[in-house]
Amino acid sequence: MKPATGKGWWARHTLRFKIILLAIIAVIVIGLAVGLGVGLTQGGGSGSSPSAPSSTPTGTLTPLPSPSARPKWQPSVNSTWQIILQGPINFGPSNTSITPNVSVYDIDLFTNSEDVISTLHNMGKNVICYFSAGSYEPGRPDSANFTASDKGDGLQGWPGEVWLNLNSTNVRNIMKARIELAAQKGCDAVDPDNVDGYQNTNGLGLTEADSVNYMQFLAENAQAHNLSIGLKNALDIIPAVLPVVQFSVNEQCVEYGECTSFAAFIAAGKPVFHIEYPSDAPNLKTADVTNYCSNTGKGNGTDGFSTVLKNMDLDGWVEYCDGQTADTPLLNTSS
Ligand SMILES: *[C@@H]1O[C@H](CO)[C@@H](O)[C@H](O)[C@H]1NC(C)=O
Ligand SMILES: *[C@@H]1O[C@H](CO)[C@@H](O)[C@H](O)[C@H]1NC(C)=O
Ligand SMILES: *[C@@H]1O[C@H](CO)[C@@H](O)[C@H](O)[C@H]1NC(C)=O
Ligand SMILES: *[C@@H]1O[C@H](CO)[C@@H](O)[C@H](O)[C@H]1NC(C)=O
Ligand SMILES: *[C@@H]1O[C@H](CO)[C@@H](O)[C@H](O)[C@H]1NC(C)=O
Ligand SMILES: *[C@@H]1O[C@H](CO)[C@@H](O)[C@H](O)[C@H]1NC(C)=O
Ligand SMILES: *[C@@H]1O[C@H](CO)[C@@H](O)[C@H](O)[C@H]1NC(C)=O
């Protein structure tokens, strides 16, 4: 949850009320200090916040601590967006407009140049840079830097792509460098994909806790460069990871009836960038749009989501819930 600022509260209450309240708090604090003082003479004495649990029940994940600094960019709920993982974007001769004219673009970190990102910035867009953080993909500029021991089982449906050991120092160094590249290119945020190996046959014994720990690592590195970061899918670890990420990128929560889990982001004031892949895209029937954009039935929980209807290969075509369509021009694609 977003912390309250306190300013509004202070302004709304009288001085007398505040003095009485402070006196009551002082009495309670002194009482506790006297009562517990003897018990504090041994142990770690970590001085951790009082809300930190002293022990974690088995099977539950402890929420990560909130970062001390605010992210430079916190995208707002209801932001309009487009996601394109083909590309790069082809602006053509005019660099002053792009279709669709939405506020956020999520694009591939490697295939798009610094120029593409600055051109989007000049149009007032924010840019999220996508890379795979939890899988090895052949053909990326740094693919040769992964070792055999980093690699697990293949990703179903993605030939040549395999799950990565999220504990590997080598993997983490490569991802650290990818985040640095995102910062160099001027991205506002990163969208690290495939952090949910735990819910797939990964061949490495990856657990939810491994993913939470890995997201903490990625978030710290993003924050060090003033980059925002999102959690991709991974609904089981949302409560644990929510404090350190600024948005969700979700695929197919309506298809699978999972959207209420992602609604935790909206409640925390963080957008859910939501993608569905209707089978008849790009020629959607009105009934299909209605189905994927409904907040009832399998769409329960989608209030406030930023929904796009896309082709599975995430090319330039997109349809929105109001029925508007667009096709962002790309280079290197046959159209
Ligand atoms: C694009 O949207 C922005 C923000 O809503 C607006 O200021 C701008 O005029 C739009 N550009 C075009 C070409 O419609
Ligand atoms: C459009 O922007 C790109 C990237 O910033 C730049 O390389 C190109 O020269 C620009 N073209 C025009 C016509 O301004
Ligand atoms: C691969 O690793 C080497 C050695 O750590 C490093 O110098 C190089 O920059 C890396 N290559 C890429 C493309 O990240
Ligand atoms: C990753 O490291 C943690 C902490 O050392 C350990 O508990 C976990 O089992 C490791 N996971 C894998 C898949 O090796
Ligand atoms: C992050 O942004 C803050 C505030 O704009 C600035 O003081 C700081 O130097 C920036 N850090 C980096 C690594 O760019
Ligand atoms: C929608 O989700 C909420 C929150 O999980 C739940 O309380 C409610 O029963 C659900 N409504 C329907 C119609 O399934
Ligand atoms: C998002 O849009 C919905 C639908 O227009 C609206 O009900 C909701 O209040 C908006 N939420 C925010 C945080 O702007």
Side-chain angles (χ1 to χ4, degrees), residues 72 223-226:
K72 204 168 172 189
Q223 196 190 357
H225 293 287
N226 278 336

Side-chain angles (χ1 to χ4, degrees), residues 23 32 79 87 92 113 120 134 138 141 149 197 199 204 207 213 229-230 232 247 263 267 292-293 296 308 320:
L32 283 173
S79 295
S113 65
L120 287 168
S149 65
Q199 62 180 16
L204 296 158
T207 64
N213 186 270
I229 184 169
K232 179 76 176 285
F247 57 91
Y292 284 110
C293 293
T296 60
V308 291
Y320 295 94

Side-chain angles (χ1 to χ4, degrees), residues 142-207:
D142 55 3
S143 290
N145 277 13
F146 294 99
T147 66
S149 65
D150 291 336
K151 298 175 188 171
D153 287 354
L155 272 73
Q156 275 188 345
W158 301 94
E161 194 168 343
V162 303
W163 295 103
L164 288 171
N165 186 346
L166 305 183
N167 277 358
S168 155
T169 304
N170 185 49
V171 167
R172 290 185 176 210
N173 284 340
I174 292 167
M175 297 310 159
K176 195 170 179 234
R178 288 182 175 186
I179 291 170
E180 273 160 22
L181 178 64
Q184 272 166 32
K185 286 191 170 186
C187 310
D188 300 298
V190 288
D191 172 14
D193 196 9
N194 299 312
V195 294
D196 56 357
Y198 67 82
Q199 62 180 16
N200 293 274
T201 309
N202 60 72
L204 296 158
L206 296 171
T207 64

